Amino acid sequence: MTDGRFDDKVAIVTGAGRGMGEAIARRLVAEGARVVLTDVLTDEGEAVAADLGGAARFLTHDVTDADGWTAAVELAGTAFGRLDVLVNNAGVYWRRPLEDETADRLRRAFDVNAIGPFLGLQAVLPAFRQHGGGAVVNVVSLASVHGYAWQGAYGASKWALRGLTRTAAQELGPEGVRVNAVMPGPIETSMLPPDTTGMGDARFAGIPLQRAGQPEEVASVVCYLASDDASYVSGAEVVVDGGSSSAPAATPRPTGD
């Protein structure tokens, strides 16, 4: 995709060293954007930025650090002259029974998955206001739509980010800032639990499309919401889950009459 949809636009993408963040950054650049990639994975992030060339810059950045957010916004301004898009993609994930979870681990999930995007929203607003608005896309999760066993810390933090998305859409809309959420289901990234059963895609038989998604499939939805094609879309929650949220579980195809 190289249709120039993001010509003259500048974006920050967090967690862009691999997985969905990398796919989002690559798609934005392919469509004409210049992108500041951030991640705590310095080697991976630098490699992606180098491959993208002059349209990309990389910054080692922990999203829980407010000063790091200031540095990311300043880099967008000094390198590219403006800022139009923020994609809050960085996140942490693990599975653990509630009775074995700890308050410190719960705080860590909230720090990265909810407070990080909150700090990002605050940091980008002055730059957005200079050009009359902007677009924020929060990568949330299907775990903010359904409750999943063993995901108490992760799910709770993603429900918080879903609420933040809705509140921000309400508060910032009058300033021309759109805020939307993308809710991926199982996606083929390092966060997807490994197949220890040897079943392959059969693990996803309960999903109507019967497979895990690809990072590029999430990136295409993120880029739509960040683009002017979605100029009247704000406060939306778009699931990218192969149809799994359309019903509690897939039912067998009927036979006969």
Side-chain angles (χ1 to χ4, degrees):
M1 181 71 67
T2 56
D3 65 1
R5 185 161 56 167
F6 289 95
D7 285 353
D8 302 320
K9 296 292 181 70
V10 177
I12 293 174
V13 181
T14 66
R18 64 184 181 184
M20 288 190 294
E22 177 183 353
I24 293 163
R26 290 186 180 278
R27 180 65 177 263
L28 284 166
V29 170
E31 295 195 30
R34 292 162 293 169
V35 180
V36 172
L37 297 77
T38 84
D39 209 309
V40 294
L41 303 173
T42 299
D43 291 345
E44 291 89 335
E46 287 180 344
V48 174
D51 190 50
L52 290 172
R57 299 289 188 276
F58 174 73
L59 178 70
T60 301
H61 171 216
D62 181 336
V63 297
T64 67
D65 177 21
D67 290 339
W69 275 109
T70 299
V73 173
E74 288 177 350
L75 178 57
T78 56
F80 302 127
R82 58 184 293 143
L83 181 61
D84 306 276
V85 174
L86 168 64
V87 180
N88 280 312
N89 168 74
V92 292
Y93 169 83
W94 59 81
R95 296 189 298 170
R96 202 177 206 190
L98 283 172
E99 65 179 332
D100 297 331
E101 194 57 274
T102 67
D104 284 344
R105 287 169 63 94
L106 180 64
R107 291 187 187 97
R108 174 63 178 166
F110 270 81
D111 281 346
V112 177
N113 295 343
I115 295 175
F118 163 77
L119 293 173
L121 274 168
Q122 288 188 324
V124 301
L125 280 176
F128 280 4
R129 287 170 175 145
Q130 290 180 12
H131 301 284
V136 178
V137 182
N138 292 326
V139 180
V140 189
S141 172
L142 203 59
S144 70
V145 180
H146 306 292
Y148 290 102
W150 329 126
Q151 297 185 27
Y154 178 76
S157 65
K158 289 296 188 176
W159 277 93
L161 181 55
R162 183 181 180 186
L164 177 65
T165 302
R166 291 188 174 193
T167 298
Q170 289 287 317
E171 288 191 17
L172 304 179
E175 297 188 69
V177 178
R178 298 183 299 103
V179 187
N180 291 292
V182 172
M183 300 176 173
I187 306 296
E188 291 278 6
T189 71
S190 60
M191 284 190 177
L192 185 68
D195 178 14
T196 59
T197 66
M199 296 175 63
D201 278 354
R203 293 183 294 160
F204 309 111
I207 296 174
L209 293 187
Q210 301 195 335
R211 64 175 177 84
Q214 297 301 311
E216 293 76 14
E217 293 176 301
V218 178
S220 66
V221 177
V222 170
C223 289
Y224 161 70
L225 290 172
S227 76
D228 291 341
D229 288 344
S231 57
Y232 199 55
V233 180
S234 192
E237 301 169 342
V238 183
V239 293
V240 186
D241 66 353
S244 58
S245 61
S246 61
T251 54
R253 183 175 179 175
T255 59
D257 295 332

